[in-house]
Amino acid sequence: MDYFDDLETRDPEVREQALLAELSNQIDNAIRHAPGWAEILSDVQPADLNSREALAGLPITRKSELNTRQKDDPPLGGLTTAASSELDWVFCSPGPIYEPGARGGDFWRMGRALFAASFRKGDIVHNTFSYHLTPAGHMMEAGAHSCGCIVIPAGIGNTEQQIAAIAQLKPSKYVGTPSFLRILLEKADSLGVDISSITHGAVGGEALPPSLRDYFTERDVVVLQAYGTADIGLIAYESDAIEGMIVDEEIILEIVRPGTGQPVPAGEVGEVVVTSLNPYYPLIRFATGDLSALLPGGSPCGRTNTRIQGWMGRADQTTKVKGMFVHPKQIAQVVQRHAEISRAR
């Protein structure tokens, strides 16, 4: 089978009708079962949410608002519909922003991206995303398990120990940031250790410049990107066509003009805004802060969903260091503690 499921090759009109029908249900679910959303959407009638135009009339929700609401109504700001018995984790990402997680199935829907990157039943996966506080390690592990893979929960650091494990266990798949994959390959070279069992990677958490992709190609490692957030889960992913990133089947994605929330025409760069159809954590018009643009047409790989250009920068001053967000207010807090600092960037 070439696709994760039949959803990936649906007629675009059938997909759009299904998403809009689910949107109305999700808005109703959010208003009925999450007091935070009942407040945000107090003037909204779920039955009226039957078009992209109606969706564009809803307010944007930003990470900063999550932070404020979570402080006022811990742990999750009244924005989750799940009872405490239905969740298994509360994660803590930089900000701090807290996110829910559950063991049941592929909670973050990462399996679709890993399948597109050639992850198959019985493959051994070396997962180098963090399992500490943030959800990334668990997100990718759940996706790998949905593909039937066996996971080495490597996490971050301990580079030489990781290389020894790869040499002995011979995983064929890698998950993590592209920069750490290069570190592993070059460190293994310096140690004289063969880790050529790794032939495919699903990478994310930071940009993958063409020069780095070329480096992996020269090392006979095929890497494809998965784009997601700790709050939403999978947003979009590359296929072997490597022509843009294909939007996940279980979200509604918009590209909007930063600061306005209004959708921009296809091809114009704007902020990625996502409405999640996860019934436990219904984020409505969640602004990621990432910039991208819609691409015309379908992917040569046969998947028919909308494509985006990929990550094209930030719409705000948040940045990433080694795959982790650093927010401006965190820098400001450091500056305030040290009178000798006159400027910071």
Side-chain angles (χ1 to χ4, degrees):
M1 181 179 178
D2 293 329
Y3 305 106
F4 186 73
D5 57 29
D6 293 338
L7 297 179
E8 295 181 357
T9 55
R10 285 182 290 180
D11 181 281
E13 291 187 9
V14 171
R15 176 184 292 108
E16 185 72 358
Q17 291 171 3
L19 289 174
L20 291 174
E22 188 58 33
L23 172 64
S24 179
N25 294 335
Q26 181 71 312
I27 297 295
D28 183 65
N29 173 48
I31 292 173
R32 287 177 179 272
H33 301 116
W37 287 116
E39 179 183 341
I40 295 169
L41 303 173
S42 59
D43 297 328
V44 174
Q45 296 298 320
D48 295 337
L49 271 296
N50 55 11
S51 68
R52 293 269 176 168
E53 291 74 21
L55 175 62
L58 298 183
I60 292 285
T61 299
R62 298 194 171 276
K63 278 185 180 285
S64 57
E65 185 174 351
L66 296 187
N67 184 273
T68 300
R69 286 185 173 274
Q70 289 173 358
K71 286 180 178 178
D72 293 342
D73 185 11
L76 296 168
L79 299 179
T80 178
T81 64
S84 57
S85 61
E86 296 176 296
L87 297 175
D88 295 292
W89 298 289
V90 174
F91 296 101
C92 177
S93 293
I97 303 291
Y98 300 98
E99 304 98 7
R103 296 180 189 275
D106 188 6
F107 185 82
W108 298 273
R109 310 174 319 284
M110 283 292 175
R112 193 177 302 283
L114 299 188
F115 190 92
S118 298
F119 287 51
R120 297 293 186 270
K121 185 175 182 179
D123 287 345
I124 299 178
V125 177
H126 192 75
N127 181 12
T128 68
F129 276 120
S130 175
Y131 282 81
H132 175 65
L133 287 181
T134 62
H138 293 279
M139 291 169 71
M140 304 308 283
E141 180 171 297
H145 285 159
S146 75
C147 294
C149 299
I150 304 158
V151 177
I152 303 170
I156 58 176
N158 301 310
T159 305
E160 292 190 15
Q161 185 179 1
Q162 292 204 32
I163 290 170
I166 295 169
Q168 182 161 344
L169 299 175
K170 301 192 183 311
S172 59
K173 306 297 189 293
Y174 167 89
V175 167
T177 62
S179 61
F180 190 61
L181 176 55
R182 181 166 189 161
I183 288 171
L184 288 174
L185 292 171
E186 293 182 344
K187 184 66 173 179
D189 288 347
S190 70
L191 296 172
V193 177
D194 180 9
I195 60 169
S196 62
S197 63
I198 295 177
T199 58
H200 293 78
V203 300
E206 62 189 22
L208 175 63
S211 60
L212 187 52
R213 197 196 293 270
D214 290 343
Y215 168 83
F216 294 133
T217 300
E218 292 170 2
R219 299 292 301 252
D220 296 322
V221 182
V222 178
V223 295
L224 298 181
Q225 297 178 88
Y227 165 44
T229 73
D231 324 87
I232 293 290
L234 181 65
I235 294 175
Y237 60 97
E238 285 186 318
S239 71
D240 55 8
I242 314 182
E243 290 193 15
M245 304 186 81
I246 302 161
V247 174
D248 180 49
E249 297 292 333
E250 297 177 60
I251 64 167
I252 299 175
L253 181 142
E254 304 168 88
I255 303 291
V256 309
R257 187 164 288 109
T260 70
Q262 292 303 304
V264 300
E268 185 174 327
V269 176
E271 184 175 10
V272 177
V273 169
V274 177
T275 295
S276 168
L277 300 179
N278 181 334
Y280 296 109
Y281 196 36
L283 290 175
I284 312 299
R285 297 204 85 203
F286 180 74
T288 64
D290 294 323
L291 296 175
S292 192
L294 295 173
L295 293 176
S299 171
C301 70
R303 293 172 176 84
T304 57
N305 206 346
T306 303
R307 294 179 301 153
I308 60 175
Q309 182 67 42
W311 187 80
M312 300 177 70
R314 292 288 299 177
D316 57 23
Q317 290 184 307
T318 300
T319 190
K320 274 189 174 181
V321 178
K322 296 185 177 180
M324 299 294 287
F325 278 117
V326 176
H327 298 275
K329 74 172 187 178
Q330 293 174 295
I331 302 301
Q333 289 168 350
V334 172
V335 171
Q336 288 173 359
R337 294 201 299 267
H338 300 278
E340 63 271 26
I341 298 176
S342 59
R343 295 182 63 190
R345 181 177 180 182

PDB file of all heavy atoms in Angstrom, residues 202-217:
ATOM      1  N   ALA A 202      12.832  10.841   9.423  1.00  0.00           N
ATOM      2  CA  ALA A 202      11.749  11.819   9.492  1.00  0.00           C
ATOM      3  C   ALA A 202      12.235  12.907  10.435  1.00  0.00           C
ATOM      4  O   ALA A 202      12.432  12.661  11.621  1.00  0.00           O
ATOM      5  CB  ALA A 202      10.462  11.191  10.002  1.00  0.00           C
ATOM      6  N   VAL A 203      12.456  14.101   9.904  1.00  0.00           N
ATOM      7  CA  VAL A 203      13.112  15.153  10.685  1.00  0.00           C
ATOM      8  C   VAL A 203      12.177  16.339  10.862  1.00  0.00           C
ATOM      9  O   VAL A 203      11.274  16.584  10.058  1.00  0.00           O
ATOM     10  CB  VAL A 203      14.434  15.602  10.030  1.00  0.00           C
ATOM     11  CG1 VAL A 203      15.403  14.436   9.917  1.00  0.00           C
ATOM     12  CG2 VAL A 203      14.189  16.220   8.655  1.00  0.00           C
ATOM     13  N   GLY A 204      12.408  17.085  11.940  1.00  0.00           N
ATOM     14  CA  GLY A 204      11.608  18.271  12.219  1.00  0.00           C
ATOM     15  C   GLY A 204      12.225  19.034  13.359  1.00  0.00           C
ATOM     16  O   GLY A 204      13.328  18.747  13.814  1.00  0.00           O
ATOM     17  N   GLY A 205      11.489  20.034  13.843  1.00  0.00           N
ATOM     18  CA  GLY A 205      11.953  20.827  14.963  1.00  0.00           C
ATOM     19  C   GLY A 205      12.840  21.988  14.573  1.00  0.00           C
ATOM     20  O   GLY A 205      13.095  22.870  15.386  1.00  0.00           O
ATOM     21  N   GLU A 206      13.314  21.991  13.334  1.00  0.00           N
ATOM     22  CA  GLU A 206      14.159  23.082  12.838  1.00  0.00           C
ATOM     23  C   GLU A 206      14.184  23.005  11.319  1.00  0.00           C
ATOM     24  O   GLU A 206      13.706  22.022  10.727  1.00  0.00           O
ATOM     25  CB  GLU A 206      15.582  22.968  13.403  1.00  0.00           C
ATOM     26  CG  GLU A 206      16.304  21.698  12.998  1.00  0.00           C
ATOM     27  CD  GLU A 206      17.631  21.496  13.728  1.00  0.00           C
ATOM     28  OE1 GLU A 206      17.812  22.076  14.812  1.00  0.00           O
ATOM     29  OE2 GLU A 206      18.475  20.737  13.208  1.00  0.00           O
ATOM     30  N   ALA A 207      14.727  24.025  10.690  1.00  0.00           N
ATOM     31  CA  ALA A 207      14.776  24.071   9.228  1.00  0.00           C
ATOM     32  C   ALA A 207      15.714  22.999   8.668  1.00  0.00           C
ATOM     33  O   ALA A 207      16.688  22.602   9.317  1.00  0.00           O
ATOM     34  CB  ALA A 207      15.226  25.453   8.766  1.00  0.00           C
ATOM     35  N   LEU A 208      15.399  22.531   7.476  1.00  0.00           N
ATOM     36  CA  LEU A 208      16.258  21.601   6.733  1.00  0.00           C
ATOM     37  C   LEU A 208      16.711  22.300   5.457  1.00  0.00           C
ATOM     38  O   LEU A 208      16.037  22.233   4.428  1.00  0.00           O
ATOM     39  CB  LEU A 208      15.504  20.315   6.402  1.00  0.00           C
ATOM     40  CG  LEU A 208      16.242  19.299   5.519  1.00  0.00           C
ATOM     41  CD1 LEU A 208      17.489  18.781   6.228  1.00  0.00           C
ATOM     42  CD2 LEU A 208      15.320  18.158   5.113  1.00  0.00           C
ATOM     43  N   PRO A 209      17.856  22.986   5.471  1.00  0.00           N
ATOM     44  CA  PRO A 209      18.313  23.679   4.263  1.00  0.00           C
ATOM     45  C   PRO A 209      18.716  22.676   3.181  1.00  0.00           C
ATOM     46  O   PRO A 209      19.094  21.538   3.485  1.00  0.00           O
ATOM     47  CB  PRO A 209      19.519  24.478   4.756  1.00  0.00           C
ATOM     48  CG  PRO A 209      19.976  23.788   5.995  1.00  0.00           C
ATOM     49  CD  PRO A 209      18.756  23.178   6.618  1.00  0.00           C
ATOM     50  N   PRO A 210      18.628  23.080   1.912  1.00  0.00           N
ATOM     51  CA  PRO A 210      18.994  22.171   0.815  1.00  0.00           C
ATOM     52  C   PRO A 210      20.388  21.576   0.959  1.00  0.00           C
ATOM     53  O   PRO A 210      20.608  20.411   0.621  1.00  0.00           O
ATOM     54  CB  PRO A 210      18.872  23.055  -0.430  1.00  0.00           C
ATOM     55  CG  PRO A 210      17.884  24.105  -0.051  1.00  0.00           C
ATOM     56  CD  PRO A 210      18.108  24.368   1.402  1.00  0.00           C
ATOM     57  N   SER A 211      21.335  22.360   1.455  1.00  0.00           N
ATOM     58  CA  SER A 211      22.706  21.857   1.591  1.00  0.00           C
ATOM     59  C   SER A 211      22.775  20.683   2.561  1.00  0.00           C
ATOM     60  O   SER A 211      23.550  19.732   2.351  1.00  0.00           O
ATOM     61  CB  SER A 211      23.634  22.979   2.063  1.00  0.00           C
ATOM     62  OG  SER A 211      23.204  23.486   3.327  1.00  0.00           O
ATOM     63  N   LEU A 212      21.960  20.725   3.615  1.00  0.00           N
ATOM     64  CA  LEU A 212      21.970  19.631   4.586  1.00  0.00           C
ATOM     65  C   LEU A 212      21.265  18.414   4.026  1.00  0.00           C
ATOM     66  O   LEU A 212      21.697  17.280   4.232  1.00  0.00           O
ATOM     67  CB  LEU A 212      21.313  20.086   5.894  1.00  0.00           C
ATOM     68  CG  LEU A 212      21.388  19.108   7.077  1.00  0.00           C
ATOM     69  CD1 LEU A 212      22.820  18.646   7.332  1.00  0.00           C
ATOM     70  CD2 LEU A 212      20.807  19.747   8.340  1.00  0.00           C
ATOM     71  N   ARG A 213      20.175  18.621   3.281  1.00  0.00           N
ATOM     72  CA  ARG A 213      19.525  17.480   2.621  1.00  0.00           C
ATOM     73  C   ARG A 213      20.490  16.813   1.647  1.00  0.00           C
ATOM     74  O   ARG A 213      20.547  15.576   1.550  1.00  0.00           O
ATOM     75  CB  ARG A 213      18.248  17.918   1.904  1.00  0.00           C
ATOM     76  CG  ARG A 213      17.342  16.714   1.560  1.00  0.00           C
ATOM     77  CD  ARG A 213      16.295  17.070   0.524  1.00  0.00           C
ATOM     78  NE  ARG A 213      15.299  18.006   0.973  1.00  0.00           N
ATOM     79  CZ  ARG A 213      14.149  17.684   1.549  1.00  0.00           C
ATOM     80  NH1 ARG A 213      13.863  16.416   1.789  1.00  0.00           N
ATOM     81  NH2 ARG A 213      13.274  18.616   1.885  1.00  0.00           N
ATOM     82  N   ASP A 214      21.250  17.631   0.922  1.00  0.00           N
ATOM     83  CA  ASP A 214      22.236  17.082  -0.015  1.00  0.00           C
ATOM     84  C   ASP A 214      23.289  16.261   0.724  1.00  0.00           C
ATOM     85  O   ASP A 214      23.732  15.210   0.230  1.00  0.00           O
ATOM     86  CB  ASP A 214      22.916  18.211  -0.794  1.00  0.00           C
ATOM     87  CG  ASP A 214      21.989  18.895  -1.780  1.00  0.00           C
ATOM     88  OD1 ASP A 214      20.932  18.313  -2.103  1.00  0.00           O
ATOM     89  OD2 ASP A 214      22.316  20.016  -2.222  1.00  0.00           O
ATOM     90  N   TYR A 215      23.706  16.741   1.892  1.00  0.00           N
ATOM     91  CA  TYR A 215      24.678  15.988   2.698  1.00  0.00           C
ATOM     92  C   TYR A 215      24.136  14.606   3.029  1.00  0.00           C
ATOM     93  O   TYR A 215      24.856  13.595   2.906  1.00  0.00           O
ATOM     94  CB  TYR A 215      24.989  16.768   3.972  1.00  0.00           C
ATOM     95  CG  TYR A 215      25.758  15.969   5.008  1.00  0.00           C
ATOM     96  CD1 TYR A 215      27.142  15.840   4.945  1.00  0.00           C
ATOM     97  CD2 TYR A 215      25.092  15.321   6.048  1.00  0.00           C
ATOM     98  CE1 TYR A 215      27.843  15.095   5.889  1.00  0.00           C
ATOM     99  CE2 TYR A 215      25.786  14.573   6.990  1.00  0.00           C
ATOM    100  CZ  TYR A 215      27.153  14.465   6.914  1.00  0.00           C
ATOM    101  OH  TYR A 215      27.843  13.719   7.853  1.00  0.00           O
ATOM    102  N   PHE A 216      22.875  14.543   3.458  1.00  0.00           N
ATOM    103  CA  PHE A 216      22.297  13.234   3.792  1.00  0.00           C
ATOM    104  C   PHE A 216      22.183  12.342   2.558  1.00  0.00           C
ATOM    105  O   PHE A 216      22.419  11.140   2.631  1.00  0.00           O
ATOM    106  CB  PHE A 216      20.924  13.422   4.447  1.00  0.00           C
ATOM    107  CG  PHE A 216      20.968  14.089   5.792  1.00  0.00           C
ATOM    108  CD1 PHE A 216      20.101  15.125   6.099  1.00  0.00           C
ATOM    109  CD2 PHE A 216      21.888  13.694   6.757  1.00  0.00           C
ATOM    110  CE1 PHE A 216      20.138  15.749   7.328  1.00  0.00           C
ATOM    111  CE2 PHE A 216      21.945  14.317   8.000  1.00  0.00           C
ATOM    112  CZ  PHE A 216      21.062  15.348   8.292  1.00  0.00           C
ATOM    113  N   THR A 217      21.826  12.946   1.424  1.00  0.00           N
ATOM    114  CA  THR A 217      21.734  12.170   0.186  1.00  0.00           C
ATOM    115  C   THR A 217      23.084  11.548  -0.156  1.00  0.00           C
ATOM    116  O   THR A 217      23.160  10.371  -0.559  1.00  0.00           O
ATOM    117  CB  THR A 217      21.253  13.068  -0.967  1.00  0.00           C
ATOM    118  OG1 THR A 217      19.962  13.598  -0.648  1.00  0.00           O
ATOM    119  CG2 THR A 217      21.162  12.274  -2.269  1.00  0.00           C
TER     120      THR A 217
END
